[in-house]
């Protein structure tokens, strides 16, 4: 494969950094003879719960399942509306539908995340909407004090989709701790990326934790006792061992490197044709992505300009979720506001490389090539 020099993700460099720990974890799991729901999953759940500052963490097969299990754990019933964002990974909405819910959409704000003021207006208008799936997009935390007020005023049941925001905080509050459930993904490109699919949810609520543990394992409350129809969404021992032993210990350093890279871009990219997005005051972003906005008619040219200098870019996300073909036959799907900002992002967003293994020379090159661009 002929890869560009400066990539969105550099898995080769990551492998060099974690190889010894991964091999050790594989040896240990292989020798243990236990591959499903054993000590390794428990040990990872404990370590991850400590990292998140939550009492309960439940390992599952992927981030999408974490959302579905979270919504079901909160008692979502068939046909119930769930307010969510039109601008995210498709998995956010797909999880709602798989859980039996009906997604309804509100526009995003200037950071690409749900506009909480418009959400408030919707909650005031339609008292039948009590489930909420906000997404902390790009690694930017949404305003958590505002989210907490909405939760309390409207008695909302909230799952925070924190797949892109592990470790982020706002006004000293950890992302994921305002919702009843936080859903995390360890998809390889995520800030804590496994060697395959994996995910987790965490919660302060012991009863939700108990149900989630049953749901991930066919709905079994105890061996061969099936209380409800669950999923097969178990986290493998192997992934759990690798995550705890070889990856989690690096997470703080990696998040710090992403933040340092972002600070450099924010300080040094200065081009009136490239709009940078600065997190709100009080927000600790974890920079899963580094999104910039350019004029829609110039986006392809901008990406080409970077590609000519061996810089790989991406677009998150080119199409709004409610406009995806797969949703056309789903009953009840509604856009509750105009999607003005969401469309601006979908048409003009470009993600610059921000991964933690970028060198100073590479960062300088990205800055110079951005600054030299003329649409
Ligand atoms: C990655 C992602 C998911 C889904 O996670 P998977 O592990 O791929 O299932 C859900 N929501 C958001 C915002 C994501 O970025």
């Amino acid at each position: 494969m002929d890869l560009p020099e400066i990539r969105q993700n550099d898995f080769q460099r990551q492998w060099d950094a974690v190889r010894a720990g991964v091999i050790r974890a594989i040896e240990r799991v292989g020798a243990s003879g236990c591959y499903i729901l054993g000590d390794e999953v428990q040990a990872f759940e404990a370590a991850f719960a400590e990292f998140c500052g939550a009492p309960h963490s439940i390992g599952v097969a992927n981030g999408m399942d974490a959302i579905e299990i979270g919504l079901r754990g909160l008692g979502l019933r068939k046909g119930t509306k769930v307010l969510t964002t039109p601008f995210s990974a498709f998995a956010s909405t797909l999880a709602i539908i798989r859980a039996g819910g009906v997604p309804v959409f509100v526009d995003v704000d200037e950071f690409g995340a749900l506009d909480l003021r418009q959400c408030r207006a919707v909650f005031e208008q339609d008292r039948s909407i009590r489930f909420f799936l906000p997404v902390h997009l790009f690694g930017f935390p949404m305003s958590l004090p505002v989210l907490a007020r909405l939760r309390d005023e409207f008695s909302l049941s909230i799952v925070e989709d924190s797949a892109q925001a592990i470790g982020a905080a706002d006004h000293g509050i950890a992302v994921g701790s305002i919702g009843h459930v936080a859903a995390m993904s360890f998809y390889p490109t995520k800030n804590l990326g496994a060697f395959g699919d994996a995910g987790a949810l965490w919660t302060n609520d012991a009863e939700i934790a108990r149900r989630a543990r049953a749901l991930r394992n066919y709905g079994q409350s105890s061996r061969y006792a099936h209380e409800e129809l669950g999923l097969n969404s178990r986290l493998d021992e192997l992934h759990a061992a690798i995550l705890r032993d070889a990856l989690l210990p690096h997470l703080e350093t990696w998040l710090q490197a992403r933040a340092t890279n972002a600070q450099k871009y924010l300080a040094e990219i200065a081009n009136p044709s490239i709009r940078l997005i600065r997190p709100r005051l009080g927000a600790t972003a974890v920079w899963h992505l580094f999104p910039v906005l350019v004029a829609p008619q110039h986006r392809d040219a901008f990406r080409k300009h970077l590609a000519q200098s061996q810089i790989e870019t991406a677009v998150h996300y080119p199409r709004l979720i409610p406009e995806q073909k797969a949703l056309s036959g789903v009953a009840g799907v509604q856009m509750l506001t105009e999607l003005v900002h969401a469309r601006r992002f979908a048409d003009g967003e470009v993600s610059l490389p921000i991964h933690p293994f970028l060198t100073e020379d590479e960062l300088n090159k990205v800055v110079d090539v951005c600054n030299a661009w003329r649409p």
Side-chain angles (χ1 to χ4, degrees):
M1 211 172 12
D2 203 14
L3 292 168
E5 200 181 316
I6 305 179
R7 293 171 216 160
Q8 287 287 301
N9 299 285
D10 200 319
F11 294 119
Q12 262 114 1
R13 289 182 198 173
Q14 177 180 276
W15 177 245
D16 292 340
V18 302
R19 183 179 179 280
V22 175
I23 304 284
R24 200 170 54 231
I26 293 172
E27 292 270 11
R28 195 174 64 242
V29 173
S32 78
C34 175
Y35 305 137
I36 298 283
L37 293 186
D39 293 347
E40 293 289 353
V41 168
Q42 256 182 28
F44 169 68
E45 287 175 342
F48 191 59
E50 194 183 318
F51 177 86
C52 298
H56 309 284
S57 158
I58 300 98
V60 294
N62 56 67
M64 187 174 89
D65 285 359
I67 301 169
E68 176 182 345
I69 290 170
L71 289 169
R72 290 184 60 184
L74 275 169
L76 182 77
R77 281 187 218 291
K78 204 166 162 46
T80 305
K81 289 179 193 169
V82 182
L83 181 57
T84 194
T85 172
F87 185 65
S88 175
F90 190 68
S92 309
T93 289
L94 186 52
I96 292 173
I97 295 169
R98 291 191 58 94
V102 176
V104 292
F105 300 97
V106 165
D107 199 14
V108 301
D109 59 16
E110 66 268 40
F111 306 100
L114 268 174
D115 183 333
L116 292 178
R117 261 178 312 182
Q118 294 197 52
C119 290
R120 162 178 290 278
V122 164
F123 289 131
E124 276 168 353
Q125 260 166 35
D126 186 343
R127 299 270 160 183
S128 75
I129 304 176
R130 285 300 165 265
F131 276 82
F132 195 23
L133 182 78
V135 179
H136 301 286
L137 200 70
F138 301 137
F140 300 153
M142 297 169 70
S143 172
L144 295 181
V146 173
L147 190 61
R149 275 203 298 281
L150 289 176
R151 177 197 62 197
D152 296 342
E153 255 179 75
F154 298 100
S155 307
L156 302 176
S157 294
I158 301 179
V159 175
E160 283 179 64
D161 181 341
S162 309
Q164 302 189 359
I166 292 173
D170 181 50
H171 292 88
I173 309 167
V175 152
S177 58
I178 298 302
H180 303 81
V181 175
M184 313 285 188
S185 165
F186 310 124
Y187 184 79
T189 61
K190 301 289 157 76
N191 288 6
L192 180 61
F195 290 81
D197 277 311
L201 44 133
W202 56 274
T203 178
N204 294 323
D205 186 317
E207 175 55 21
I208 293 175
R210 190 195 63 75
R211 273 196 74 193
R213 283 180 203 288
L215 281 169
R216 75 170 168 189
N217 194 19
Y218 313 137
Q220 270 181 117
S221 52
S222 60
R223 201 160 196 196
Y224 304 130
H226 298 266
E227 269 177 41
E228 57 185 323
L229 301 174
L231 297 75
N232 176 350
S233 185
R234 299 174 295 235
L235 175 65
D236 293 321
E237 286 282 283
L238 200 52
H239 283 308
I242 292 171
L243 279 162
R244 180 175 64 90
D245 232 26
L247 304 175
L248 191 55
H250 293 278
L251 183 56
E252 281 294 357
T253 312
W254 289 340
L255 296 184
Q256 191 53 54
R258 286 176 183 272
T260 306
N261 297 347
Q263 286 319 314
K264 184 176 170 76
Y265 285 163
L266 290 176
E268 297 181 18
I269 296 177
N271 182 334
S273 302
I274 303 172
R275 200 202 304 167
L276 306 176
I277 302 168
R278 289 169 204 280
R280 267 174 302 100
L281 214 62
T284 306
V286 287
W287 302 101
H288 171 56
L289 297 168
F290 190 91
V292 301
L293 290 172
V294 297
Q297 70 271 26
H298 295 138
R299 176 160 70 183
D300 289 346
F302 178 56
R303 297 189 66 198
K304 212 165 172 186
H305 171 77
L306 287 154
Q308 276 161 358
S309 293
Q310 293 291 306
I311 298 166
E312 182 185 23
T313 59
V315 170
H316 298 93
Y317 297 88
R319 199 180 285 191
L320 301 185
I321 291 173
E323 295 176 355
Q324 294 285 358
K325 182 162 175 254
L327 287 198
S328 60
V330 180
V333 173
Q334 267 182 80
M335 308 188 208
L336 300 177
T337 68
E338 297 286 324
L339 304 183
V340 180
H341 279 109
R343 211 170 294 289
R344 174 70 184 92
F345 270 90
D347 293 345
E349 194 273 349
V350 175
S351 302
L352 301 180
I354 191 69
H355 68 74
F357 304 100
L358 290 166
T359 65
E360 193 65 20
D361 283 351
E362 289 170 337
L363 291 163
N364 283 329
K365 183 168 170 183
V366 174
V367 169
D368 292 345
V369 173
C370 282
N371 287 344
W373 182 55
R374 296 291 171 269

